[in-house]
Amino acid sequence: MMDDRRHSGRALRALLVTLLALASQPAASAEAFSPSPHAIDIPPWFRESFLDFREDVREAARENKRLLVYFGQDGCPYCRELMRVNFGDKAIADKTRRHFNAIAINIWGDRETTWIDGKVLGEKALAARLKVQFTPTLLFLDEKGGIALRVNGYYPPHRFDAALDYVAGKHESKTPFAEFLKRQAREPASGRLHDQPFFLKPPLDLDRSRRPGSRPLAVLFEQRHCAACDELHRQGFASPEAQALATRFDVARLELFGSERLVTPRGKTLTAGQFGRELKVAYTPTLVFFDENGMESFRVEAYLRPFHLVSSLDYVASGAYRSEPSFQRFIQGRAERIRSGGGRVELW
């Protein structure tokens, strides 16, 4: 009886949320109207919610689950891949449903939310407060509302599956995610590190704490058995635009779990593996950018296609990150300028 009442309560709440969302829709033509706040279809098993995340965390805990908060946007090719490819895999979808309650947030939306600390914000303001720079961004919350894992960007299915296992198994208190991902997400790859003419030569002294650098620094973390690293060199860095932008940086390449010693941007002598742990790098390839004084300015730590790689390099090289804190707005503006000039933008 209790389960029936709880189910009925959730159904009534979902109906009320849907009716409120429909009532707030502006008048539009039949062609333009969509009842969903997301142009990219969200799986029907995502939860409807009043977006009070304190209650959502409690409800998930009562069901012996954790809360997954998805931040996405219309027209995002990486969000589309997450929905169609990752969640299109029945085993991944079933695992997500078994261990998590999933809720979707539109990073440009206006629905009112209440975050874990009680702060009431619209969706757009919440995304800005949480510094969501990439879509999808996924926050996996524990039973107390703490962030057990944050995934900033798109993970291919086998890595995403490992992320689900990490949080569902409550490994965050026992094992760094980088170590877990290394063990669990094995993949066919070339088995080697690729060189580029713009890479700095070892020994690497990246210290900028005593004397500012003449240009920004990009530190690339890779692994030998990394298909996305192979693709980065085969496609991303093959672009003339990417090569031209790379020359505006000092670029250091490190092996994520490597023993090579270096001097870090803040003047510490560490191995590559120690530096990666200090920066909490888990995904490869990851690009971490530092300014002339050795302070981190931006990072890319998920799968990227060439357009977004070039946009990331441009965002930092141009100094746009100093005046435009939203990488997504920067990308939109850059794409519009390319199209208005007659160019073609290939997002995927």
Side-chain angles (χ1 to χ4, degrees):
M1 181 67 72
M2 180 66 71
D3 289 343
D4 291 342
R5 287 200 298 269
R6 187 176 298 163
H7 178 76
S8 299
R10 284 201 299 267
L12 177 60
R13 185 169 68 178
L15 176 61
L16 288 171
V17 171
T18 301
L19 291 173
L20 288 169
L22 291 174
S24 67
Q25 289 282 346
S29 68
E31 291 80 4
F33 175 76
S34 170
S36 169
H38 303 275
I40 295 169
D41 289 338
I42 303 298
W45 45 265
F46 268 57
R47 297 294 181 102
E48 294 287 358
S49 165
F50 284 122
L51 303 181
D52 183 335
F53 290 101
R54 300 167 301 179
E55 174 55 30
D56 292 324
V57 164
R58 288 193 289 266
E59 183 173 345
R62 285 195 296 268
E63 298 175 16
N64 293 316
K65 297 181 180 181
R66 290 180 146 186
L67 190 67
L68 187 166
V69 185
Y70 155 83
F71 290 83
Q73 62 177 317
D74 297 348
C76 163
Y78 303 94
C79 304
R80 179 197 64 208
E81 288 296 295
L82 176 66
M83 298 303 163
R84 294 183 183 178
V85 178
N86 295 30
F87 290 143
D89 182 317
K90 186 177 184 302
I92 289 178
D94 288 348
K95 182 181 294 185
T96 307
R97 296 178 69 178
R98 187 163 58 250
H99 295 291
F100 301 94
N101 285 351
I103 293 174
I105 292 291
N106 184 339
I107 68 166
W108 307 117
D110 296 315
R111 293 180 299 169
E112 183 178 278
T113 75
T114 303
W115 191 237
I116 301 300
D117 59 2
K119 186 77 171 178
V120 177
L121 296 167
E123 292 173 281
K124 179 166 53 180
L126 176 64
R129 185 185 184 211
L130 295 175
K131 294 181 169 54
V132 173
Q133 293 282 42
F134 295 90
T135 55
T137 285
L138 300 170
L139 301 187
F140 295 88
L141 304 186
D142 65 20
E143 293 75 11
K144 295 182 178 180
I147 297 176
L149 180 66
R150 176 169 175 156
V151 174
N152 296 310
Y154 174 68
Y155 276 20
H158 65 292
R159 299 199 196 190
F160 182 72
D161 192 50
L164 294 176
D165 288 339
Y166 182 76
V167 184
K170 302 182 180 180
H171 293 279
E172 70 274 7
S173 62
K174 299 173 282 189
T175 308
F177 182 52
E179 297 284 348
F180 187 87
L181 196 60
K182 179 185 178 184
R183 292 198 307 265
Q184 300 296 322
R186 298 184 181 276
E187 58 191 22
S190 68
R192 67 188 185 91
L193 298 175
H194 304 270
D195 290 322
Q196 293 291 341
F198 47 78
F199 285 168
L200 295 172
K201 305 300 181 185
L204 295 174
D205 185 348
L206 309 180
D207 186 12
R208 290 161 177 240
S209 64
R210 297 176 179 83
R211 179 191 297 179
S214 59
R215 51 189 178 178
L217 169 68
V219 179
L220 172 65
F221 287 92
E222 297 189 280
Q223 295 183 81
R224 294 176 187 275
H225 293 280
C226 169
C229 302
D230 293 339
E231 182 180 317
L232 173 69
H233 291 272
R234 186 174 64 250
Q235 296 183 19
F237 283 145
S239 157
E241 193 172 9
Q243 292 180 16
L245 282 165
T247 63
R248 297 170 63 180
F249 293 86
D250 291 329
V251 183
R253 192 271 303 285
L254 298 174
E255 191 168 5
L256 180 56
F257 299 98
S259 58
E260 173 188 358
R261 299 189 71 79
L262 71 144
V263 181
T264 73
R266 301 304 298 161
K268 297 168 67 174
T269 300
L270 299 173
T271 66
Q274 290 170 334
F275 189 34
R277 284 195 296 275
E278 181 178 271
L279 295 175
K280 297 182 179 178
V281 173
Y283 185 93
T284 54
T286 282
L287 266 170
V288 185
F289 297 95
F290 298 86
D291 66 15
E292 292 79 358
N293 297 309
M295 302 300 294
E296 183 177 338
S297 55
F298 188 62
R299 71 166 63 188
V300 177
E301 51 187 347
Y303 179 76
L304 280 191
R305 297 291 294 160
F307 173 78
H308 291 88
L309 169 66
V310 169
S311 296
S312 301
L313 294 169
D314 191 18
Y315 185 55
V316 179
S318 67
Y321 72 93
R322 300 181 191 275
S323 57
E324 175 50 84
S326 171
F327 180 56
Q328 292 300 317
R329 290 197 183 279
F330 173 80
I331 290 175
Q332 291 174 355
R334 184 172 181 271
E336 289 170 4
R337 289 191 297 273
I338 292 172
R339 291 186 181 111
S340 65
R344 181 179 177 184
V345 175
E346 294 186 6
L347 296 177
W348 193 259

